[in-house]
Amino acid sequence: MAGTARKLADRDRVEEPPTRRVTVYFDGPTPEDAMVLEYAASSTEAWEFTSAAVHAGLTVTVDGKIHPGLRRLPCRSLWH
């Protein structure tokens, strides 16, 4: 029964379009080794990811500057 309910919930979920750019900043051993990654995400994904990332000690910014070719946030189903 739980499997059927899960399938119905998944079928009825409407995926939000990516409307936010999520920028994640990673420090390196030296300033030259720092890394910045940008991703496209829905508002919900951006909120959930940012909450988890900041809790883990990362620096993250979110804005609406989506541009062509911006990769989707990896494992975005985790951030719903």
Side-chain angles (χ1 to χ4, degrees):
M1 183 68 128
T4 302
R6 175 78 174 175
K7 286 179 188 176
L8 290 173
D10 288 344
R11 184 193 70 191
D12 293 337
R13 183 183 311 158
V14 176
E15 186 171 318
E16 294 178 70
T19 58
R20 299 288 181 259
R21 178 180 67 167
V22 177
T23 307
V24 187
Y25 302 86
F26 297 92
D27 292 331
T30 68
E32 296 81 28
D33 295 321
M35 184 169 45
V36 178
L37 299 176
E38 295 181 325
Y39 299 103
S42 69
S43 293
T44 302
E45 292 162 355
W47 172 257
E48 294 293 332
F49 174 79
T50 300
S51 297
V54 168
H55 183 70
L58 295 174
T59 301
V60 178
T61 60
V62 177
D63 59 37
K65 297 179 181 177
I66 296 292
H67 54 80
L70 198 57
R71 293 177 290 164
R72 287 298 303 258
L73 186 66
C75 303
R76 61 185 185 265
S77 63
L78 295 174
W79 315 115
H80 279 276

